[in-house]
Amino acid sequence: MILGALTAAPALAQQRGVSKTEIVVGSIQDFSGPLAGYGKQARNGMLLRAEELNEQGGVHGRRIVLRFEDSGYDPKRAVLAAQKLVNQDKIFIMAGHVGTAHNLAAMPVQFERNVINFWPLTAAREMYEPFHKLKYSFAVPYYEQIRVMLPLLAKEKGAKKICVHYQDDDFGMEVLKGAEAGLKAMGAELTEKTSFKRGATEFSSQVAKLKAAGCELVVLGTIVRETIGTIGESRKTGFNPTFLGSSAAYTDLIHRLGGKAMDGFYAAMATQHPYLDEASQPLRFWATKYKTKFNEDPTVFSAYGYMIIDGLIRAAQKAGPTLTTDSFIKAMDTMTFPADLFGSAPASYSPTKRLGSEASRLSQIQDGRWKVVMDYVK
C-alpha cells in the first residue's frame, strides 16, 4: 500500500495547476482599457462562484484558486499575460479570457503547454474553429447572431437600405460577415459600410456617411463607448435608423452611460442582464447576493463570470478525483448543461463539437433597461 501511494504521487504532481488541495485557474481581463467595466464585472462573478464552491469543500476536496491578469484590451499585453499565467503561475486552465484578437494572440502560448482555453468572453467563431482539442466556447458566434437576427428585424421594420458600422479588427469583421450572410439570405446587398479603429471615440464622419446613404437599419460591430458614441452622434444629427448590435453591446453600460438616446437599440443575446427587481425569484436572489458581496449591482458580465466558473466546476466534478487535462477533456466531451437561472439556452459538447449552443434571442432597450423582445432562434 505504501509503495502504491509513492508511485501514484508523481502522476498527480505532473499535472500543472492541480494539487491535492487546489485547482489554479487563470483569466485575462481588461482592468485598465476600454472594457475595464466588463473586466471588473466578470472577475466579480467568477470570484462569487469560486467562493461558493470553496465554502462547500471544493471539487473532490480541491478549492478553486483564481489568478487574474490585465491585458488593457491590447493583444500584445494579452500574450504577456498568458505567458505569466502559463509559465509562472502554472495554471491548469484559462477561463473567461476577454476579447477576440486577444484570445487569438494568447492561445498559442497556452496550447504549447497543453492549457485549455475554456469559455472565453468572445463570440468569435475562432474560439471553436478550426477544431482543437483545447478549445471550448459557450458564446453564440457574433456571425450567427447577426446572420439570423438581421433578416428577422429588417422584415419587421420594413427596412430596405441596410448598412454596417464596425470596428476594424477580428471582432468587427465577424459582425460584418454575419450581416453580409444575412443580406444574402434576404436576396439583398449592403447599402453602405463604415469602419473605425479600436479605441476610437469620434464617429461624426462615419455617421454622416451612413446618413447620406439613407440607411434604414444599421448593424453595429461595436462594444460600449463606440455604440454610445455612434448612436449618440446619430441622434444629434436627426439620423434615427434602427440599430442592431451583437451580444458584445448587450450590457447595462449602454443605457447607464448613454442615457435616453439609447432607447430603441437592439442587441442579440442569450444570457439575461440580472436586474435587482427581476421577476424571476432565483435571478433576483442571485442579484441581491452579488450586490451584498460587492456593493454594486450585477451585470450580464457578472453573470458570464459566474457561469464560466460554474461550468468549469461541473466538468471538473465529472472528471473525477484524478484531475488532468485529459480527464477534463473527456468529461467536457460528454457534458450537457441545462438552461440556467440567467435564461441561457441549454448547451452540449462532444468529441467533435466545441460550441455549446447556436441559439440566440433579441433584446431591446426600452425606458432605460433591456427587455427580451424575441425568443431563441437557431
Side-chain angles (χ1 to χ4, degrees), residues 90-299:
K90 299 189 183 304
I91 60 171
F92 167 65
I93 196 169
M94 184 76 79
H97 182 181
V98 70
T100 302
H102 316 76
N103 272 273
L104 293 175
M107 280 193 286
V109 175
Q110 300 166 217
F111 295 169
E112 185 180 355
R113 294 302 182 95
N114 205 36
V115 174
I116 293 167
N117 202 53
F118 185 78
W119 288 10
L121 281 169
T122 163
R125 288 176 290 171
E126 291 94 336
M127 298 306 105
Y128 63 93
E129 291 180 348
F131 176 88
H132 194 292
K133 71 172 186 175
L134 299 176
K135 288 182 180 180
Y136 289 98
S137 184
F138 80 114
V140 180
Y142 303 123
Y143 172 88
E144 287 296 328
Q145 294 173 20
I146 302 301
R147 183 187 70 81
V148 172
M149 291 300 174
L150 174 56
L152 296 171
L153 190 58
K155 182 179 180 182
E156 180 184 310
K157 299 295 183 180
K160 303 297 182 185
K161 293 187 175 183
I162 297 169
C163 307
V164 180
H165 175 59
Y166 66 101
Q167 185 165 288
D168 187 11
D169 64 1
D170 298 293
F171 155 66
M173 286 301 296
E174 280 292 279
V175 172
L176 174 62
K177 289 174 183 175
E180 290 173 339
L183 284 165
K184 185 176 181 180
M186 295 165 59
E189 293 184 356
L190 197 61
T191 300
E192 184 61 89
K193 64 179 178 180
T194 57
S195 64
F196 58 92
K197 297 296 182 184
R198 188 190 303 125
T201 57
E202 213 283 323
F203 307 100
S204 58
S205 62
Q206 292 95 331
V207 167
K209 191 175 180 182
L210 295 169
K211 184 178 181 181
C215 303
E216 298 170 312
L217 191 158
V218 177
V219 176
L220 296 179
T222 55
I223 307 182
V224 181
R225 64 185 181 190
E226 307 87 7
T227 302
I228 296 168
T230 300
I231 297 177
E233 176 67 22
S234 299
R235 303 288 194 231
K236 281 194 298 183
T237 63
F239 176 49
N240 292 299
T242 297
F243 286 105
L244 168 65
S246 71
S247 59
Y250 178 77
T251 163
D252 70 313
L253 293 175
I254 301 297
H255 53 77
R256 274 206 295 123
L257 301 178
K260 187 67 177 174
M262 300 303 112
D263 273 7
F265 172 53
Y266 292 90
M269 47 73 77
T271 303
Q272 195 166 327
H273 180 88
Y275 292 106
L276 286 166
D277 60 351
E278 177 59 46
S280 161
Q281 194 278 333
L283 188 52
R284 192 169 66 248
F285 177 83
W286 181 89
T288 302
K289 182 177 183 179
Y290 180 98
K291 182 163 188 177
T292 300
K293 179 171 178 58
F294 299 109
N295 197 31
E296 64 181 39
D297 290 0
T299 70

